[in-house]
């Protein structure tokens, strides 16, 4: 009974934490909306400079990773630690692919002089500078969440390997999967806002 209470407390704590994360990104999206209404043409022009192919690939990669981590939870519930580890490995691999693509995307922009407070953006329309400042801030914070999520899942994977997380006690994996789904969900908002609707 006490074990069930502990699990409920851990789940509640994770949901409260996820709520604060939603407030953080919700604030960033509201800021984006406010500046979009002020600089619609500049935002449109800046948005067309982003690589839709990279954004699309990263969306598919994150959706795939969410499927993997959900399957990992099912596998541990069924008492299949080896399958759980493979699926967690797949999720972490997807995180690495996502970050590699994001690195290439950011590097390309920086090489072209597109980064916050750069002389190139300072000489252009003010809305483009605001757009890219928000883009780098939002995708940067999101990327940090991807790294944290991948590290968390690797730590949970080590516990699965040692038998500390198993079919009778898998709250750590469940909470790790919840966090990962949030990372995925936030990207589902970032992708259309910055890459598609402008």
């Amino acid at each position: 009974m006490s074990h069930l209470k502990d699990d409920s407390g851990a789940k509640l704590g994770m949901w409260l934490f996820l709520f604060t994360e939603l407030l953080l990104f919700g604030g960033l999206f509201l800021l984006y909306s406010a500046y979009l209404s002020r600089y619609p043409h500049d935002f449109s022009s800046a948005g067309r400079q982003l690589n839709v192919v990279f954004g699309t690939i990263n969306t598919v990669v994150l959706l795939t990773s969410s499927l993997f981590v959900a399957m990992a939870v099912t596998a541990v519930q069924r008492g299949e630690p080896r399958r759980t580890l493979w699926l967690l490995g797949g999720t972490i691999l997807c995180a690495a692919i996502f970050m590699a693509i994001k690195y290439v995307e950011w590097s390309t922009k920086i090489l072209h002089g597109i980064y916050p407070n750069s002389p190139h953006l300072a000489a252009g329309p003010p809305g483009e500078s605001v757009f890219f400042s928000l883009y780098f801030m939002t995708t940067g914070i999101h990327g940090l969440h991807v790294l944290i999520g991948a590290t968390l899942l690797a730590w949970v994977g080590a516990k699965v390997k040692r038998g500390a997380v198993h079919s009778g006690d898998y709250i750590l994996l469940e909470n790790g999967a919840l966090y990962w789904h949030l990372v995925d969900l936030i990207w589902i908002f970032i992708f259309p806002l910055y890459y598609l609707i402008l």
Side-chain angles (χ1 to χ4, degrees), residues 1 12 15 19 26 28 30 56 69 79 86 98 125 132 153 161 163 177 183 185 194 197:
M1 187 68 177
L12 178 61
W15 278 110
F19 179 68
L28 289 173
L30 284 175
T56 303
V69 80
W86 275 106
F98 178 91
F132 280 108
L153 292 176
K161 191 173 183 179
V183 169
L185 176 68
Y194 283 90
I197 66 173

Side-chain angles (χ1 to χ4, degrees), residues 8 23 74 88-89 99 112 121 127 129 143 145 152 160 164 175:
S8 299
L23 289 179
T74 301
L88 286 176
M99 291 306 297
H112 286 86
L121 288 179
S129 181
H145 280 70
L152 175 66
V160 171
N175 280 345

Side-chain angles (χ1 to χ4, degrees), residues 55-178:
T56 303
I57 293 172
N58 264 347
T59 302
V60 173
V61 166
L62 276 190
L63 288 173
T64 303
S65 71
S66 264
L67 174 64
F68 283 161
V69 80
M71 292 171 69
V73 173
T74 301
V76 80
Q77 288 172 334
R78 292 177 176 172
E80 300 172 343
R82 190 177 177 85
R83 182 176 166 81
T84 304
L85 286 172
W86 275 106
L87 290 164
L88 286 176
T91 306
I92 294 167
L93 177 62
C94 286
I97 293 171
F98 178 91
M99 291 306 297
I101 291 173
K102 188 51 68 183
Y103 172 79
V104 171
E105 197 175 2
W106 271 36
S107 299
T108 304
K109 286 285 168 285
I110 291 170
L111 281 174
H112 286 86
I114 298 174
Y115 53 86
N117 297 320
S118 69
H120 175 79
L121 288 179
E128 283 195 15
S129 181
V130 171
F131 175 90
F132 280 108
S133 292
L134 287 172
Y135 165 77
F136 278 104
M137 181 166 60
T138 305
T139 58
I141 294 174
H142 178 263
L144 181 62
H145 280 70
V146 171
L147 289 175
I148 292 171
T151 303
L152 175 66
L153 292 176
W155 175 68
V156 173
K159 285 188 168 293
V160 171
K161 191 173 183 179
R162 291 201 301 270
V165 172
H166 49 79
S167 59
D169 183 4
Y170 51 87
I171 187 64
L172 284 178
L173 179 54
E174 267 194 330
N175 280 345
L178 276 175

